[in-house]
Amino acid sequence: MQSNLTSRDDKLHVGIIMDGNGRWATRRGLSRVRGHEAGVEAIRRIVEAAPKQGIGTLTLYAFSTDNWRRPRAEVVALMTLLRFYLSNEVQSLVKNGVRLTVIGRRDRLPDGIASAIARAEAATAHGSTLHLRIAVDYSARDAILNAATKAASLTSLTREAFSQLITGEAGLRDVDLIIRTSGEKRLSDFLLWEGAYAELHFTERMWPEFDAGDLAEALAAFHGRERRFGGLQAIMPEEVPSLSRA
């Protein structure tokens, strides 16, 4: 059944677990670092394609809290790529109306990266074509735990208010669709609160191979699903009543 989720002129929120960079590279006899470099090219493709395919918010899982356990050389390479992206992509993001925000911890990032993030966020703050959220040193469970700590002193709490404590901003749309590349079928601590009713799409394509056609295929599958949000008939997520805690 065709979903009517965008009938209110409300663009989708899609999250992507960008998996398979290392395997893509090793299968070609390349270094894992080369795989991550190819992954950055895939980010450019998808950021360009997303608004044309009805996506208003795109959250990309770039580096999890658990990824610090990877070999030091790979972590250094990933941080170098992040620094490069922040330095070289901002002008293009501004030109294309893309607002960039980074979610996750910043206090453990190498020197200068937190400042580069702040500059990039400020420079792109007025973008309205696409909201690009990049998760770095990110853990959904930690985000929920931190929000619960902040909420402990409140006398009443709504889902909307708690969501703001988790995400850091008001009115962020819940995630409609989570895509994971490389054939793995797990969420890996990604958007657990925001994605409570997200549809899931798993593809064998490695992230460096992922392109606009793959995104369109995932969205076509999404639009073919009936989303009932616990009820018996398809409804809009905005029609689900908020629950408050006295």
Side-chain angles (χ1 to χ4, degrees):
M1 177 179 292
Q2 178 72 22
S3 169
N4 66 347
L5 190 58
T6 58
S7 62
R8 294 185 182 180
D9 194 28
D10 207 0
K11 293 186 176 181
L12 298 174
H13 183 176
V14 173
I16 304 181
I17 302 172
M18 306 180 294
D19 199 10
N21 291 343
R23 277 169 286 167
W24 176 89
T26 55
R27 289 176 184 177
R28 288 161 175 77
L30 304 172
S31 69
R32 289 178 60 85
V33 172
R34 181 65 190 93
H36 295 306
E37 291 172 349
V40 173
E41 294 297 326
I43 291 174
R44 292 192 183 105
R45 291 195 298 269
I46 300 308
V47 169
E48 179 181 354
K52 302 172 185 176
Q53 298 192 24
I55 297 172
T57 303
L58 178 66
T59 303
L60 302 179
Y61 206 4
F63 189 87
S64 76
T65 295
D66 290 329
N67 285 157
W68 290 114
R69 296 184 295 184
R70 292 191 175 188
R72 175 174 170 75
E74 184 171 348
V75 171
V76 169
L78 286 166
M79 291 297 138
T80 300
L81 282 173
L82 174 60
R83 198 187 301 271
F84 175 86
Y85 187 86
L86 293 168
S87 300
N88 292 273
E89 295 296 318
V90 170
Q91 185 175 353
S92 176
L93 295 177
V94 172
K95 179 181 178 181
N96 292 298
V98 178
R99 174 192 170 201
L100 173 68
T101 58
V102 175
I103 61 174
R105 291 182 61 171
R106 303 187 187 186
D107 58 302
R108 297 188 293 195
L109 299 177
D111 288 347
I113 292 184
S115 297
I117 289 171
R119 289 193 299 270
E121 289 177 331
T124 63
H126 299 294
S128 59
T129 300
L130 176 71
H131 183 189
L132 173 62
R133 304 166 74 235
I134 299 181
V136 178
D137 195 358
Y138 172 83
S139 160
R141 289 184 294 184
D142 284 351
I144 294 169
L145 178 60
N146 291 336
T149 300
K150 295 175 184 176
S153 62
L154 301 179
T155 57
S156 64
L157 190 66
T158 63
R159 286 187 178 184
E160 291 76 12
F162 193 65
S163 291
Q164 184 173 349
L165 292 176
I166 292 173
T167 65
E169 58 183 292
L172 182 71
R173 182 183 177 90
D174 281 349
V175 181
D176 298 293
L177 172 66
I178 294 177
I179 301 168
R180 182 166 189 153
T181 58
S182 86
E184 301 293 347
K185 296 178 175 64
R186 55 183 178 271
L187 292 177
S188 297
D189 200 12
F190 182 55
L191 302 178
L192 301 181
W193 172 271
E194 304 95 307
Y197 275 100
E199 298 293 322
L200 305 179
H201 180 85
F202 302 107
T203 173
E204 297 293 326
R205 294 275 277 179
M206 298 295 176
W207 176 247
E209 303 168 328
F210 198 82
D211 60 20
D214 297 306
L215 181 62
E217 181 179 334
L219 289 169
F222 167 82
H223 285 299
R225 300 180 189 180
E226 184 178 275
R227 306 184 71 200
R228 296 188 297 273
F229 299 91
L232 297 180
Q233 295 180 338
I235 60 173
M236 300 279 290
E238 293 84 353
E239 295 171 356
V240 178
S242 298
L243 300 180
S244 60
R245 184 186 71 191

